[in-house]
């Protein structure tokens, strides 16, 4: 199945890209995708997106995965064909 993984903020400096197009197994979970991202880019991208327990700066199709009404399985949410997963890293701007 085909998914798109987008990187935002400081993650673009770690990954050296804004996105990955991936062919992955059917029924891949977000947790398993985190493992794939970690194997490619190290632990920082995933750790930055999981700043504290039960909170993640990750979206699926522009929906916040912390919304339990949409994603009751949180990191165990199964991805589907065509999903776009966004990893939102630390950002800063002018004060």
């Amino acid at each position: 199945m085909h998914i798109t993984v987008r990187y935002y903020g400081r993650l673009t400096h770690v990954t050296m890209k804004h996105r990955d197009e991936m062919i992955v197994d059917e029924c891949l979970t977000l947790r398993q995708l985190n493992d794939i991202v970690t194997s490619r880019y190290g632990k920082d991208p995933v750790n930055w997106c999981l700043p504290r327990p039960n909170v993640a700066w990750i979206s699926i199709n522009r929906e916040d995965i912390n919304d339990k009404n949409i994603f009751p399985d949180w990191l165990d949410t199964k991805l589907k064909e065509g999903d776009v997963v966004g990893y939102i890293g630390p950002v800063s701007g002018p004060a």
Side-chain angles (χ1 to χ4, degrees):
M1 121 180 120
H2 175 263
I3 63 169
T4 301
V5 181
R6 299 200 45 124
Y7 306 103
Y8 297 92
R10 190 168 172 200
L11 297 180
T12 60
H13 298 286
V14 173
T15 62
M16 300 301 288
K17 56 178 70 173
H18 292 280
R19 72 192 214 197
D20 279 318
E21 301 292 330
M22 295 185 183
I23 304 296
V24 296
D25 293 334
E26 297 287 329
C27 298
L28 184 82
T29 66
L30 183 56
R31 187 179 308 275
Q32 292 167 319
L33 179 62
N34 288 347
D35 292 341
I36 292 170
V37 170
T38 296
S39 71
R40 287 185 179 189
Y41 305 111
K43 292 181 180 181
D44 282 348
V46 173
N47 287 344
W48 289 339
C49 292
L50 297 167
R52 47 187 193 275
N54 301 315
V55 174
W57 294 335
I58 302 172
S59 66
I60 299 175
N61 301 324
R62 296 185 181 199
E63 298 286 348
D64 182 356
I65 68 155
N66 297 303
D67 186 333
K68 300 295 185 195
N69 293 319
I70 300 172
F71 301 109
D73 295 328
W74 198 51
L75 293 180
D76 295 316
T77 297
K78 290 183 180 173
L79 300 175
K80 299 180 297 299
E81 174 70 31
D83 277 350
V84 177
V85 178
Y87 286 86
I88 302 117
V91 296
S92 64

